[in-house]
Amino acid sequence: FNLPPLRRWAFEPVLNGLKKGLAPVTVLRGPRQIGKTTLLNQTIEALIAEGVSPNRMFRVQFDELPELKKRKISEPILELSRWYAQTVLGKSLNQAAQDGQQAFIFLDEVQNLSDWAPQLKHLVDMNPVRVLVTGSSALRIEGGRDSLAGRISTLEMGPLLLREIAAIRGFGNLIAPLPPNGLAPLREKQFWTELRAFGERNKG
């Protein structure tokens, strides 16, 4: 991959969720052209750097597979996963996990499949795999959450944050005052006191 050095705020939560999150599926949701695919590729790059064998990773970009519609494949996620297990791993996904080779599956722009959620539910219910899903359509992605209850962790990614712009411009890295997707601290006086103190320390 020819990837930019900047890793957006969602990178660490996505990587940690994929490796050891309670839910087997991590969903990264947000508008097009904000860096979801780049972050997905950076996650693959990070796993390889940590020593994960490339053959344990399977990536499909569904907005670049028009043949799926032409051939009317009924369950593309399941069929492609079976092909990957047989052709690349040479064993079932269950056997791979038992052999210490748990697979990581990356599904980019999955909302282009009308029935992606039931397929993904079956995949993770029947196989010990870790999955990262990206999607641009908020309504389509949201529509799949009910059938995947208890199986997914969702992160919302929007345009660049001010601290990300500061990093790009070379102003240094600023620590995020809030946890990913977490608003609970906003109700606490201590949060605002510490935030004010942080601003005072870094003004000018």
Side-chain angles (χ1 to χ4, degrees):
F1 299 116
N2 184 19
L3 299 173
L6 174 70
R7 290 172 169 174
R8 294 210 54 193
W9 68 266
F11 172 78
E12 288 294 341
V14 164
L15 181 61
N16 291 334
L18 185 65
K19 292 194 299 183
K20 54 189 178 183
L22 294 178
V25 180
T26 299
V27 175
L28 182 62
R29 188 171 74 172
R32 297 186 68 85
Q33 303 299 319
I34 60 165
K36 298 187 304 299
T37 298
T38 295
L39 194 147
L40 182 149
N41 291 333
Q42 288 174 329
T43 302
I44 294 174
E45 183 182 62
L47 289 172
I48 293 174
E50 292 179 7
V52 177
S53 174
N55 69 355
R56 291 174 54 193
M57 289 175 265
F58 181 50
R59 180 187 183 281
V60 184
Q61 189 156 346
F62 285 103
D63 59 352
E64 295 184 356
L65 291 177
E67 289 297 319
L68 288 179
K69 294 182 179 179
K70 292 181 182 178
R71 297 185 182 184
K72 297 182 180 180
I73 300 175
S74 59
E75 297 179 323
I77 290 177
L78 298 179
E79 292 194 34
L80 287 168
S81 296
R82 281 192 290 267
W83 173 88
Y84 160 68
Q86 294 169 3
T87 306
V88 179
L89 292 176
K91 62 185 78 174
S92 70
L93 295 172
N94 277 289
Q95 187 61 53
Q98 292 177 23
D99 294 343
Q101 301 171 335
Q102 186 179 43
F104 295 90
I105 296 178
F106 301 85
L107 307 176
D108 201 7
E109 296 297 346
V110 76
Q111 83 281 341
N112 288 292
L113 302 178
S114 59
D115 57 349
W116 66 274
Q119 293 179 62
L120 193 53
K121 176 179 181 296
H122 182 81
L123 177 65
V124 299
D125 282 353
M126 301 302 294
N127 303 279
V129 294
R130 308 295 294 186
V131 184
L132 173 58
V133 170
T134 74
S136 300
S137 172
L139 290 177
R140 291 180 188 174
I141 294 295
E142 186 66 26
R145 294 186 65 176
D146 289 343
S147 62
L148 288 165
R151 300 169 181 85
I152 66 171
S153 173
T154 304
L155 286 167
E156 306 277 351
M157 194 164 80
L160 286 169
L161 303 176
L162 285 176
R163 55 188 169 87
E164 291 175 318
I165 295 173
I168 293 173
R169 297 294 299 273
F171 296 150
N173 295 317
L174 300 177
I175 298 174
L178 287 171
N181 289 351
L183 299 177
L186 295 178
R187 297 176 295 185
E188 302 173 5
K189 181 179 179 181
Q190 182 180 358
F191 168 80
W192 296 104
T193 302
E194 293 176 353
L195 187 62
R196 179 176 180 177
F198 175 82
E200 291 291 335
R201 290 195 304 271
N202 292 278
K203 68 180 179 181

